[in-house]
Amino acid sequence: MGVILDALHRLQEIERDLNRLRSKADTYRRKITQGQQLIDANQVAYEAHLESVRRCQVGIDSADLDIKTREDSMTKHRLALNATKTNKDYAAILTALNTEKADTSKFESRILELMAEKDELIEQSKVFEEENEKLEKRLAKREKDLKDFLEKTREDSEKLEKARADAASEIAPSALAAFERVAAKHEGEAMAEILRAGSRGDDHICEGCNMSVTLEVVNKLRSVDELVLCHTCGRILFQAHANASA
Ligand SMILES: [Zn+2]
């Protein structure tokens, strides 16, 4: 008994080392993703900011057009003023002219306001550009960290992959499939020792999930060389002493 478990134990050791490498690489990858998200968020904010700049310009253009319209009208009114025959017409045209003059000066102030606002917004754009530069630099550093890590661990990783393939080739396909299923569910930790528990040490628990393991399961593990899974977490159970004697 214990031949299968022994082989699975070797596989578990290799799997654990591989997982350590993978999870470190994943940490680097997560940081890269986060870095990219920060850049994207800054870009979105920057675009909203540029939209405000564009809105200012639209306001300026519109006020410009309003002034032009008033000026054309004022030119016509001035000509009409010279040609007018009655005092009543003269007064009416003069009133229109004055209103147009007042409007024009209102639009001119509006343009000055918008131009100041636009200048200020353009000045603030630098903040987004600087932030982007900073974030891009940080992202490049993180990408380099990942690349360095993968390069540094490539040899180890290849060795482990080969050792894993060798160890796996010694295990029956059904047992290997069971192992891989459980390993995928528990971050590579497919196996769990049965620990003694209780005041008299005659209770048993699974070290993986800390739930109790029945005596029936313990006895089965002792008597057959096949996989016995924890009823609660599904990990492949083993007993340290049984393993040592194998
Ligand atoms: Zn369990």
Side-chain angles (χ1 to χ4, degrees):
M1 117 159 190
V3 178
I4 296 178
L5 281 180
D6 232 31
L8 286 179
H9 259 291
R10 278 197 299 280
L11 192 62
Q12 175 75 87
E13 287 302 317
I14 298 163
E15 190 74 17
R16 196 173 287 145
D17 290 344
L18 266 173
N19 252 301
R20 212 169 287 142
L21 291 181
R22 282 186 205 125
S23 95
K24 262 195 196 163
D26 282 347
T27 305
Y28 285 117
R29 287 193 189 96
R30 263 199 304 280
K31 281 187 177 172
I32 289 171
T33 307
Q34 283 165 358
Q36 189 58 56
Q37 283 166 347
L38 288 176
I39 288 174
D40 292 347
N42 184 59
Q43 190 59 34
V44 168
Y46 188 25
E47 268 156 30
H49 186 79
L50 291 177
E51 184 54 36
S52 304
V53 175
R54 275 191 291 273
R55 270 203 301 275
C56 275
Q57 189 55 53
V58 168
I60 291 168
D61 291 347
S62 151
D64 250 344
L65 197 65
D66 283 330
I67 290 173
K68 225 173 159 359
T69 313
R70 298 300 186 285
E71 278 171 353
D72 287 349
S73 179
M74 280 157 79
T75 306
K76 279 179 203 147
H77 279 142
R78 278 196 195 98
L79 288 173
L81 204 60
N82 295 334
T84 190
K85 303 267 188 301
T86 68
N87 279 343
K88 197 182 158 210
D89 285 350
Y90 189 90
I93 293 169
L94 205 55
T95 303
L97 256 173
N98 283 336
T99 306
E100 283 157 354
K101 226 185 265 175
D103 283 353
T104 302
S105 105
K106 229 174 10 194
F107 288 127
E108 271 163 357
S109 323
R110 179 76 188 128
I111 287 177
L112 287 179
E113 262 172 43
L114 285 170
M115 278 169 96
E117 195 181 324
K118 189 182 154 197
D119 284 349
E120 200 179 326
L121 286 169
I122 288 172
E123 184 64 23
Q124 286 165 2
S125 297
K126 282 186 199 149
V127 174
F128 294 97
E129 284 158 14
E130 281 163 11
E131 178 71 1
N132 188 61
E133 203 176 312
K134 198 179 83 189
L135 291 171
E136 288 281 7
K137 250 184 220 159
R138 199 190 294 165
L139 180 65
K141 160 93 171 63
R142 288 174 174 184
E143 278 166 346
K144 187 179 181 305
D145 285 348
L146 172 65
K147 193 167 159 272
D148 289 351
F149 175 77
L150 291 177
E151 254 163 41
K152 200 179 77 191
T153 56
R154 177 164 298 134
E155 210 172 305
D156 283 349
S157 178
E158 281 168 3
K159 265 187 211 155
L160 283 168
E161 293 286 359
K162 181 165 185 323
R164 193 194 184 286
D166 289 347
S169 71
E170 290 168 25
I171 299 165
S174 62
L176 186 61
F179 177 91
E180 280 170 351
R181 211 165 37 238
V182 187
K185 221 173 105 184
H186 298 289
E187 280 137 17
E189 291 292 327
M191 307 185 72
E193 189 179 345
I194 293 179
L195 303 173
R196 289 188 174 277
S199 51
R200 284 168 297 164
D202 51 1
D203 290 335
H204 298 88
I205 59 163
C206 161
E207 71 162 344
C209 63
N210 288 318
M211 298 305 281
S212 75
V213 174
T214 62
L215 203 57
E216 190 194 346
V217 168
V218 176
N219 286 334
K220 189 176 173 199
L221 189 60
R222 282 177 186 154
S223 55
V224 294
D225 187 18
E226 61 181 61
L227 299 191
V228 178
L229 306 183
C230 169
H231 288 322
T232 310
C233 68
R235 287 185 180 86
I236 299 164
L237 295 169
F238 69 92
Q239 278 189 301
H241 62 86
N243 185 53
S245 70

